[in-house]
Structures are given as structure tokens and as C-alpha cells.
Amino acid sequence: MSDPMQAEQAHHGLQAQSDWGWLKDWRASAWSQFAATPWPTRKTEAWKYTPLKSMLGTEWSLSEQPGSATGTVFADWDRTVITLVDGKVTDHGALPEGVSVQLLSKATAEQRARFEQRLAKTLAGDQLFTTFNQALLAEAVWIEVAPETVLEKPLHINQVLSPNANGRAVPVRVMLDLGSRSQMTLVETFASESDGPVFINPVTEIDVGDSAKLTHYHLLLETGDVRHLGSLQAVLRAHSQMNSFHMALGGVLKRKDIVVRHCGSGAHLQLNGVYLPKGKEHVDYHTTLEHEVPHGTSNEVFRGIIGDDAKAVFNGRIHIHKDAQKTLAELSNKNLLTSHRAEINTKPELEIYADDVKCAHGATVAQLDKGSLFYFLSRGISRQEAEVMMSFGFINELLEALDDDPVKRLLRPLLASLFAKEDDLAGHLL
Amino acid sequence: MSENIDQYLKSEYSAGWITDIESLTIPPGLNEDVIRLISAKKQEPEWMLEWRLKAYRAWLDMKEPEWAHVVYPKPDFQALSYYSSPKSMEDGPQSLDEVDPELLRTYEKLGIPVHEQEVLAGVAVDMVFDSVSVGTTFRQKLKDAGVIFCPISEAVHEYPELVQKYLGSVVPQKDNFYAALNSAVFSDGSFVYIPKGVRCPMELSTYFRINEAKTGQFERTLIIADERSQVSYLEGCTAPMRDENQLHAAVVELVALDDADIKYSTVQNWYPGDAQGKGGIYNFVTKRGIAHTRAKISWTQVETGSAVTWKYPSCILKGDDSIGEFYSVALTSNYQQADTGTKMIHLGKNTRSTIIAKGISAKHSSNSYRGLVKMNPGAEGARNYTQCDSLLIGDQCGAHTFPYIESKNPTAVVEHEATTSKVSDDQMFLCQQRGIDAEKAVSMIVNGFCKDVFRELPMEFAVEAGKLLEVSLEGAVG
Amino acid sequence: MLNINDLHARVEDTAILHGLNLEVKPGEVHAIMGPNGAGKSTLGNVLSGRPGYEVTGGTVTYKGQNLLELEAEERARAGIFLAFQYPVEIPGVSNMEFLKASVDAIRSARGEEAMSSMDFIKLAREKCKAVDLPADFLKRGVNEGFSGGEKKRNELLQMMLLEPSLCILDETDSGLDIDALQVVARGVNELRSPDRGIIVVTHYQRLLDYIVPDYVHVLAKGRIVKSGGRELALELEKHGYSWIDEEVA
Ligand SMILES: Nc1ncnc2c1ncn2[C@@H]1O[C@H](COP(=O)(O)OP(=O)(O)OP(=O)(O)O)[C@@H](O)[C@H]1O
Ligand SMILES: [Mg+2]
């Protein structure tokens, strides 16, 4: 057995604390699977462009207690919030009607039985760090939304790492089951106040029930010495809709594996995302759309701006199964490199086994458009500012497509400050 | 609509007969002695043997690649024979007049001009039969222009400096599993050298024929276009219908020196296996060219044959302002599997590449495009445009696209687009409503789909390619 | 204010302007007409400093300085405005952001104070009304999905906000319905003033019914081949350009 991440101690420590036999077996099986998996190298297709050396050299441990965090990122707006600090739930606002939340760490005997069923039919795929999450899982937040419920306020899962998280691995699982015809907005944010090496390892599982409608944000806002390796699995039931927006800023290494399965026909997915690595950061999005049934539609747009010495990886796979006739699926990935040392590796993939479908993908790596640049200049705007405005516009196109809601208003200034190194350049972005 | 097409079309591989000729085939198996034997049969100099042995030793440590989207029983490399030659060719190359007429008839039957006075007199042909070249036409006329066009086995003797300098310079011996195998056991193939400033006076072509059972064909082609020269080269491939799979592992190397222009076209029609997926050629080929300053390399391929195809004709755009092109039609039917595409490696400034790939899958086949566009840090102002389209015919087949894009230069521009669709009922209806029968309609639509690629083929090939598609598609509409 | 002397210019490898002369004094309105491909847009692009246009000979003086030495944004700040024949779409950048950035840059170059956002929005709304564009166009991406006519009005809107001293309108009237044409004319006439020069490139004499030019020039094969008063436009309307060809030849 190999343990390149030196996490075996943490796993055994966790096991020792629990009297829940089923859970322990579940974690143990994941640990043996993880330990038996050869550590990825450049030759491992799924990790070809994303080296994991920054995961090594730290003996990862789990937090016992949440540290204290100020939690100022993405705060102060009208929502129902569940806050986790260092993977422990610290704040759990009053829940609206139709919503129930259960915590793995506090499950009653009766709840344990239900948890066992839910965890056993895990939607999660076979991803290395999803397995790791299972092996070290101390907390899961399971949200159930009753059929027909329409939530006015967004539900915000606010995950923060405190300064105490230094050297910690923080595996957390969020499960959301949306009843049929329900509607809601889920906002997941990740932030870090730690200044040492931290490893956040979240797994989100979403089941969008028949004709339900979910607006979803998954925002990786951590900066500093952070590794974020996580996954999102979603299942779309018949005629459901999911609009999922992703963003990755900062950090040493970020990788998100997104798998969305069309399991009921007539569902629609809009999957958008932006990645903006700079400095020596590395961001990797691996997305897979599984069209398993007929009449599904998917539209995916990811854009990235890669600066300085940063690297980005995008892999967008569309898989149309044999029976998924009449599928419409499209993917677009556009990238801007803004430095001679920056790097992008992109691979849109189509794998198609049904003939009566329309699928397309496109990927580009380019510079800012020269014609547009001249338009700015001809109006007296400086080249520098024009470049900032155009880069921002390149990303903002995706923000504009969001429903008009508070998230958009919170994101804009965040992005604006990111684009303009000097304040006056950001002047016209607000 | 579809059933009636199915009824009155049936699939037929027209090149599937066997030439009844006495061959000398060495016993199956591969070891250093076999390599020594091949080398001895060709009376090769010591350096050539050493080169082969080096490749063989490297090969022993290599693994067969697994990453392609194809599934097949791995060949048993000890069960294959690595050398087979018509008995009449035992004594080495002969002049055309002395070649066994039965052999020449093989090529005539395939529609290949073997006599210099024939209609397609503008094309010089090298004929490779199993492991040997049986004849090359127009050698004198080419020689007058300074062009060298001969079997590579002959070039090893006649032009050792050129061969030593360039053989393995683009595809090194250890490049990959099949290239290493080829380097160890290659038997014959064509050698071309176009001197400085010369525009080759005619099309050059090689026809490869596998005849003998239980043999592999390992041909090796090396084309060197010196500064400011220009050449267009065509390659065609066929094999008899046999129930066992046969291995074809070729290596093609192109060297385009400054301002040279090489156009390389392939019509690959190896035996694809029968309708149940039995038999057919495993076509595992490494083709690569290197383009120096302002040079241009253009690959065009029409791939309709083979049971399994694994092939990525590539360009290393080393010189500033060099150009790489890849135009491909890959059609799979029955149980064929193809994993094909290209690599464009941009090293020089302002290098440009264009990739147009059309995949057509029918019946139970699987057709993948796999490509790499790489912009190195030095590729200032480089550009790539890629368009990959797949057409599905029937609901049992698969069409896949795996394009890798790697960019390390902010001034380089890469654009990739891919679509997948089927021959739509609307298109079919329109054709039929205008009185065009279904068979014709499909072939028209598919031909239209491939137009951008056919345009790149030399005239006589374009017609042949269109016909080939039609034949390959027979019975596919379902 | 603008003095073009024997201007030669090329795009990529094609020479397009072959010795063009033109003088525009403050307060004057010049109309330039000419067949497709004559070089009219090229002239506008060269004057506004579009990359890719190379001046191979001649001089251009603007307000006493060598215009050709200035960068595109410096020319804009010096008061040169080009209304594009084909306005560029910039998705993701809102019209409002763009206009504010532009007005701020130009005001600050003139030594004027920056406008407050409130004042600016008010002004922009007002000008929108003047060019008959609904105010919600300010929120949309620059020219993104605008119709042909809307793009042209958006150009005019920018011009009215920036108050340039030399306006070059490249076929701002093409593709406009008759009402829009009057809107454009009204806008231009409003800007007409003793210290401002205006160059109007057009194919249609009917625009000149509304914007009465002081001079009409015919640009053909990269040069001004004929100049005259308004009546020249009427002649052209009647006889086409072949008439000029004959006369010049
Ligand atoms: N980027 C370019 N590359 C090559 N030729 C160009 C380029 N841009 C313009 N041209 C050519 O220059 C000539 C002049 O173009 P220009 O746009 O100035 O004409 P114009 O007088 O404005 O015509 P129109 O009335 O149609 O607008 C045309 O022949 C055009 O094709
Ligand atoms: Mg014009």
C-alpha cells in the first residue's frame, strides 16, 4: 500500500473516533481503494497536465475543532447560510419551510440508516480525490428540498478555512436532493484565511428531481497556499433544469471534476465557468456530460484568462450514450494567454454512440481582438485600460448571462479588482 | 426509406483476390537472427544492420500503446513472418522488363499504370509486393531531372550518405512501439530525393500490396526535398481478403528543407475485414514530416480500409514561416475501427497549420479523430485552424473527437471546431423528392461532406477516392 | 485644421491611396463620394491611425502638428473622431462602461475634470434620446446584437458625447431608414460649428439634402479626382461615376 500524501494516520485516527460500523467500513473500503491506486504521473491521462507534486511533502491531518475565522468573503447578503469552518458546521441559519438539513456528524440512529442508504448510492464517480474524500469523511451536509418547494432566498454553503487549517486536509461532502418541481438557488463558496499549506477536498452531489429547477454557483475564491481538489456530480431527472456557474481564482492548485448525468429525458443543463489563474497558480477543470437518455440538451461555456507563470487545464467531455437520441449538446472553451510564460492545455472531447444527435464543440486560444482594441483606441481610451476592459468583458459575458441576482452583484467587484492591477484601470468596470 | 437501400446494396471489397505466385517466406518469429537474416537478404552494409539491432533492442523494452480508442486482440509478434518475397525477386532488383508478368498483372488488375506508355503517364510508380519492391517506372526520366526515386533497399547501397543522414531523423527508432518494430524489420518502401530548386516533373507514387498470408508488411518511406524543391507523392494500399488479421506497420519520414514543398497523399484501402468483423489489416503507421524555414508539408489521406487504423501523420514546423496541412477523410463501416488524426508541433515563428478532418462512421464501426496542436514558447504569431466533422450513419456506430491543444505562447492563435451530425432525414427527403434515389443521395451527401478534403487530392486520386467511398458505404445506410 | 498633402497609403501589400490632397478648415463640411473600393474608408482609417494601414508617402497636418506621428488614442484625444462604416461588436463590455471610459479619457486630455457617474448617466440618457436609441442600449454590450441602423446611431451617440473637433463619418447614412437618416443629419447639424470640421463619406446625395456640404469631392482610385460645391453631388447622382472617369481621362 502506498500513501504518498501521508494521510493514513489521519484516516485511522478518524476511524478510531467513530462507533458507526457501517460508516467505518465505507471509509475503509475507500481508503484501500485510494491506497491501491497508483499515484498519477504525466502518463496518467486524467492527470497529464496537472502535476500533483504540491500534494506531497505535507503530512495531512484532520481538524478536530474549527478555528476562528472572520469569514468576510461573500458575506453580507440576504440568504440562508450554513457556514463550515475547517470542515465543521459552525453556523446553521433558520431553514425555510420545505428544506431539511442533516449532518453526518450528528446523525441520530434513525438518520444513520437513511444516511447509509444515501451514501451507498453515491453518485460520485471514480475520481481519485472523491475516493480520498470518502476515506476521510467526517462531515456531510445533506439537504433535502420537498417537492413543489420554491425557495425565495438562495441557500449559501459557506466553507471557510481558518488560520488553524494549516497542514490540514478538509474533506467535506454536500448532498442536495431537490424534490420534483421544486426551485432554488444554491451558492457554494470556498474561502481561506490560512497562510500555511491547506488541502480542501470537497465533494458536492446534486440530484435535481423531475421538473425541478436549480440555479447553482460553485465559487472557489480561496487564495494563498491552497490546494483545492474536488468534484461535483449532478443527476438531472426528467424535464429538470440546472444552471451551474463555476469560478476559480487563486490558489496553488485547483482542480474540479464535474460530471453531470442526464438520467431523465428532456432535461436542460447550462454549465458555465471561468478560471483566472495568475502568478504561479494552476487551475484545472475536467467536465463530463453524460447523456444517457434521449431528448436532453446541454450547453457548456468555459473561459479562462491565464497570466504570469500560471497554467490552466480544461478538459470538456461530452458523452452521448447509445440510446440518447435527439440530444443537443454544445461546448465552447475560449482562452486568453496574457504572458509569455503562461500555459493552457485544453481538450474538448466528443464521444458519440447515437446517430440522431447534434453535437459541437469549439476551443480557441487567442489574444484580444485587434479590431476591438482599435475601436477603444479610436475613442481615446488607453491601450492598457482597453486591455483591462476587454479582458473583463471576455469574462463578463458569462456573468451577464446569469440571472440578475445578488451573486452577480457580489462577483463583479471581485472580478474587477482582479483585472485591474491599478485602481484607476478598474474605474470603468463598475 | 433506409431498408430499401440496404436491400439493393451489398458491400464488396474489390481488391480482395490473391496473386498465385511462389513466395519465399521466412518462418514466423522475431529475434536478432531474423533481423540479421533480413539484412543479409538485402546485402546491407554493417551500419544498417547495427541501426536495426539498436531499434530491436529498444523495442523489446517497449509496450504496445493502449491509449487509442480501439479494441483488438494484440498481435502475436512471434507468430508473424517478417519477410516474404516473390521467388522470382530473390536475386534483387531487376529492370521492369524482367519482372515476372504475373506480378505486374497484380498491379494492372488494381488499375495501376505499370507501363510507362500508359494513359496516366504523368505518374511514376514504385510497386511494393509484400517485403520487396518489384519495380519502379520512369526512373530514367526522373534521373534526367536529378530526382532519385527508388526502393529504399536500393538507396541504402546507392546513396548511403543521404540515408544515413536522414533515416530516423524525423521518426527516431525509439519513437514508439510500432516505429521501433518497423525500424528493426523494415523490408522495403520508397526513397525520394529532390535536389535543390527542382520541381519534380511528375507525380511519384508507391503501391503497396500485401499478398502472402501470415506476414506483416513493414515498409519504410523517406522523402527528402532539398531547398526550394517541390514534389507530390501518392501512396495506395490493398490486400487480399483473409480471415486472419494481418499487420502493417509502416514509417514515413518527410524532410522539407528551406522553401521546399512536399505534398503527400494516401488512399488507404487495405482489406477491412468482412461484414462480421473477421480478418482485415491492422494498420499501425507512423508518419511525420519536418518543415524547415518557409517549407510546406501537406498530408492528405483517404482512409477507407483496414480493420484497425492507428495513424497520425504529423508536422514539426521547425522553421519560421513554415506551413503544415492535414486533410483527412476516414470512413469506417462494419466492424472497422479507426483512431486517426494529426499532430502539428509549432516551433518556429509565424508557423501556420490547417487541419480538416472528416470522419464517417457506419454500421458497427468506431471512428475517432485524435489530434494535437502544440504551440511552443518560440511560436510567435503562429496560427492553427482545425475543423473536425463527424457524420454518423446508423445508430450502432461511434464517432469521437479527442483534440489536444497545448499553448505556451500568448501571440499564437489556435481555433478548433468540431461538429457531429447525421445524414438528416430532411436532406434525404429533399434529394428523393427531386427524384434522386437513396443510394445516390447518400453518396452525394457524403461526397459533399468530404469535398474540402477531396479538393486537396491530385485529380486522378480524387475520382478514385470518391468511388472508394461509394463502395465502402454500400449497405451502410440503415 | 486638417491638411492632407500627397498622401500615399497601403494595406497589407496593396497600395490604395495614391497622392491624395485635401484641406479642411474649421467650420467646413466636406462630403466625399466615390465608387466602392475607391479608398474612402482607407482615408478615414489612415487619419484615425488604424493598425495595418501604412503611410508610404505625403504628409498630414492636423492643428499644426504632424498627425501621422500620433498613436490612435492620441489622435482621438486630440479631437479626431471616426464613425466606423462597420462598428465593432465588443461582447461583455457594456456600452455605458465604454462610453464613460472614452469620455473620461478625452476630457482628461483636454484638461477638463472627470464627470461624476450620475452626471454622466444623465448626459448619456439625454443623448440617447437625441439619436432615438432607447436608454437600455447603454446596458448592452458595445454594438452587441445591434441592428445595422442601431450601430450607426450608437456611433453618432458617441460622437455627440465626445464633441470632437474633426468628425469623419464613414457611410453613417448607409442602411438607415428615412427617419433615422434625419436623426443622423440633425445630430451632425447640431455639431456644426465654426471651430469644428466635418468629413462625410456617403454614396447618397439625399444625405446632402439634410447635411448641406460646403464642398463635395470625388475620390476614385485613391485620389481626389474632382472637387466642387453641392451641385457636384447632383451631377453624380444623375450621371454616375463613369462620367468622371471620362472627364479625368
Ligand atoms: N485589409 C485589406 N487587405 C487588402 N485589401 C484591402 C484591405 N482593406 C481594404 N482593402 C482594399 O482597399 C480598397 C479600398 O478599400 P476602402 O474600404 O477604402 O474602399 P471604400 O472606398 O471605402 O469602399 P466602399 O464604398 O465600398 O466602402 C478596396 O479594394 C479594398 O478591397
Ligand atoms: Mg468604405
Side-chain angles (χ1 to χ4, degrees), chain A residues 369 371-372 374-383 385 389-390 392-394 396-397 400 412 428-430, chain C residues 48-51 72-73 76-77 81-82 84 88 90-93 97-98 100-102 104-106 143 155 158:
Chain A
D369 178 63
S372 307
F374 173 64
Y375 199 56
F376 280 88
L377 299 181
S378 79
R379 298 300 179 250
I381 301 168
S382 75
R383 181 173 295 266
E385 182 170 10
M389 288 178 77
M390 284 170 71
F392 183 75
F394 176 72
N396 191 38
E397 258 189 280
E400 287 300 316
R412 232 181 119 95
H428 298 108
L429 299 182
L430 299 169
Chain C
S48 55
R50 189 172 203 135
E73 66 271 32
R77 291 171 192 174
F81 181 93
L82 171 70
F84 287 55
V88 182
I90 310 173
V93 175
E97 283 167 41
F98 180 75
K100 176 93 166 65
S102 167
D104 284 356
I106 285 175
N143 291 323
E155 293 291 290
Q158 294 175 30

Side-chain angles (χ1 to χ4, degrees), chain B residues 69-96:
Chain B
H69 198 93
V70 291
V71 186
Y72 59 94
K74 296 272 173 303
D76 176 354
F77 293 99
Q78 296 305 334
L80 285 179
S81 166
Y82 288 84
Y83 190 86
S84 173
S85 127
K87 197 158 186 212
S88 59
M89 297 300 294
E90 258 306 271
D91 303 326
Q94 306 158 349
S95 83
L96 264 183

